[in-house]
Amino acid sequence: MFPKPDKPTEDVKPEVPSTPVTPAVCNTMNGTMPSCAPLSVPYVPFQQKGSPRYEVAEALDNGTLFPGLNLPFFRKANAAQVPATPLAELQALEFVLTELGLYLDTHQDDAEAMELFRQYAALEKAGRERYEAQYGPVTQNATAQHKTWAWIKDPWPWNYQEGGKA
Amino acid sequence: MFQYEKKLQYPVRIKTPNPQLASVIISQYGGPDGELGASLRYLSQRFAMPYPELKALLTDIGTEELGHLEMVGTLVHQLTRNIKPEDIAGTPFAAYFVDHTAGVYPQFASGFPNSAATLQSTGDVIADLTEDLAAEQKARLTYDNILRLSDDPDVNDVIRFLREREIVHFQRFGEAIALAKEKMNQKNIYFTNPAFDK
């Protein structure tokens, strides 16, 4: 784990760094650690490849795609649920992409996660087009698909009125 | 560059205004461990980061924090929506109100204005990433304290989402230190600062 470069005789640092390649030997709530490691530096266990994942809506609701990282505060009961709205569906797809993106930043050689990112990106693209056709543009560029300058229309994201309608 | 997406990262739909709660939640907007400081910290630190995947990580987490700043601002805005002077007089929100009405201003819960003195960009790989681990913990505990003070389920739903993001970010910054260490002097990672000593 955290291996030294494969070719210790070369002085050059590796161009493409590799994340630690280890079999998933630890359970879901645990990551891998080096057996020996330099003193006086902080260590956080590495999340293993192939970690279990939530479904899309469940990931948004929990604030993470990964059950192993879901560490809630004890005061959890008195919280509302994510509303079942078209916007929340789009937010859930985009959240999974955000979460996978951070994971891939530190696990760039995880091919399964990369493939998952591709699949969710395709779903998000289709979902975004459906959402924008019905509710208006999410980006200024997307306003080109509309007949008028719909970009400026209320509600803006921070607007929510009593009684439920955004 | 940045382009705006006209939506929040997570739904914020507060049914019941509560200015007193807004006056503590404002700390995660502009407070000592709030989202403004978080985004500025990571988006500033990335310029000195020599390793490409960690430039990406600081950019991506810094960008997500800007989305969290917007969510916290939205919480404060919705908690102070349509309030009347009689809802405010004699409450802890009055001190905020007299300066800012129902505007959203980046300050600590104590009223101290947002300060870059609460964050660092040291130009040192290990020092910056270690600061980032602590920053995520401090933001997490602030959300814990907000959950201790709030009994509004609409607010708590949003706060527990933001709190969980701090835990995920902590994990990624921990992995970032391991990735940085692999590329540094294997016998003594403090032998040089690879961001400066070429």
Side-chain angles (χ1 to χ4, degrees):
Chain A
M1 213 134 31
F2 307 153
K4 290 175 181 165
D6 288 340
K7 298 170 186 169
T9 50
E10 287 181 22
D11 271 342
V12 290
K13 291 167 182 169
E15 281 290 312
V16 180
S18 61
T19 47
V21 179
T22 49
V25 289
C26 308
N27 73 36
T28 302
M29 303 302 290
N30 292 283
T32 53
M33 294 281 284
S35 53
C36 298
L39 299 173
S40 197
V41 258
Y43 288 86
V44 170
F46 234 90
Q47 188 179 354
Q48 301 172 102
K49 290 182 187 175
S51 295
R53 295 181 298 268
Y54 290 123
E55 293 306 311
V56 176
E58 208 179 355
L60 184 70
D61 188 39
N62 282 298
T64 179
L65 178 62
F66 303 106
L69 280 170
N70 188 8
L71 302 168
F73 192 49
F74 77 101
R75 287 196 59 163
K76 187 185 181 221
N78 187 23
Q81 291 291 301
V82 177
T85 62
L87 177 57
E89 280 178 34
L90 181 62
Q91 285 166 320
L93 278 172
E94 290 175 357
F95 176 70
V96 170
L97 290 178
T98 296
E99 180 81 320
L100 277 174
L102 297 185
Y103 174 85
L104 281 161
D105 285 347
T106 57
H107 297 73
Q108 60 182 288
D109 60 353
D110 186 335
E112 188 202 356
M114 180 69 216
E115 179 53 31
L116 207 61
F117 188 89
R118 275 193 204 96
Q119 291 170 8
Y120 278 119
L123 286 173
E124 189 275 340
K125 186 167 181 288
R128 175 182 290 247
E129 283 164 6
R130 276 197 308 276
Y131 179 86
E132 289 184 318
Q134 195 171 350
Y135 299 98
V138 167
T139 61
Q140 205 176 62
N141 279 0
T143 316
Q145 306 300 318
H146 293 256
K147 290 196 176 100
T148 59
W149 190 239
W151 174 245
I152 59 176
K153 279 191 182 171
D154 272 334
W156 280 76
W158 50 89
N159 298 141
Y160 177 73
Q161 295 303 318
E162 279 139 303
K165 186 154 174 57
Chain B
M1 72 169 291
F2 286 90
Q3 285 187 311
Y4 188 62
E5 294 246 338
K6 195 178 171 183
K7 58 181 170 46
L8 302 176
Q9 188 189 23
Y10 186 90
V12 178
R13 297 152 66 99
I14 308 305
K15 293 192 237 8
T16 314
N18 183 342
Q20 295 193 47
L21 192 51
S23 65
V24 296
I25 289 177
I26 195 69
S27 223
Q28 277 303 88
Y29 194 76
D33 306 303
E35 302 291 354
L36 179 59
S39 50
L40 274 181
R41 175 184 293 111
Y42 308 141
L43 293 176
S44 299
Q45 288 178 354
R46 67 194 173 132
F47 294 105
M49 177 54 71
Y51 305 128
E53 70 274 47
L54 304 187
K55 295 176 194 176
L57 187 70
L58 288 165
T59 301
D60 294 344
I61 296 182
T63 302
E64 187 179 348
E65 306 290 16
L66 283 174
H68 295 171
L69 179 72
E70 183 182 38
M71 286 173 60
V72 177
T74 297
L75 278 173
V76 171
H77 170 68
Q78 293 186 7
L79 285 167
T80 55
R81 181 185 54 208
N82 299 332
I83 49 171
K84 307 277 187 298
E86 53 267 32
D87 302 329
I88 299 160
T91 77
F93 185 71
Y96 181 94
F97 175 80
V98 75
D99 289 333
H100 309 294
T101 327
V104 176
Y105 177 76
Q107 66 167 45
F108 296 22
S110 66
F112 193 87
N114 178 257
S115 171
T118 61
L119 61 93
Q120 248 293 24
S121 178
T122 67
D124 180 282
V125 174
I126 296 293
D128 275 356
L129 291 173
T130 306
E131 152 141 344
D132 299 346
L133 290 175
E136 296 295 336
Q137 291 298 343
K138 290 186 284 183
R140 188 268 307 160
L141 79 87
T142 309
Y143 286 126
D144 287 356
N145 286 339
I146 291 170
L147 287 171
R148 289 183 171 104
L149 295 174
S150 165
D151 59 2
D152 181 334
D154 295 333
V155 170
N156 292 355
D157 177 47
V158 178
I159 297 296
R160 70 182 180 81
F161 172 87
L162 291 168
R163 176 190 174 280
E164 174 60 27
R165 297 310 296 153
E166 314 299 347
I167 290 169
V168 173
H169 293 168
F170 180 91
Q171 174 65 27
R172 298 294 166 244
F173 282 127
E175 291 164 348
I177 293 179
L179 292 173
K181 265 190 325 214
E182 279 180 36
K183 288 173 243 190
M184 298 170 77
N185 186 303
Q186 293 295 302
K187 286 188 177 157
N188 172 7
I189 69 156
Y190 299 116
F191 196 60
T192 64
N193 170 13
F196 190 78
D197 307 297
K198 307 294 181 194

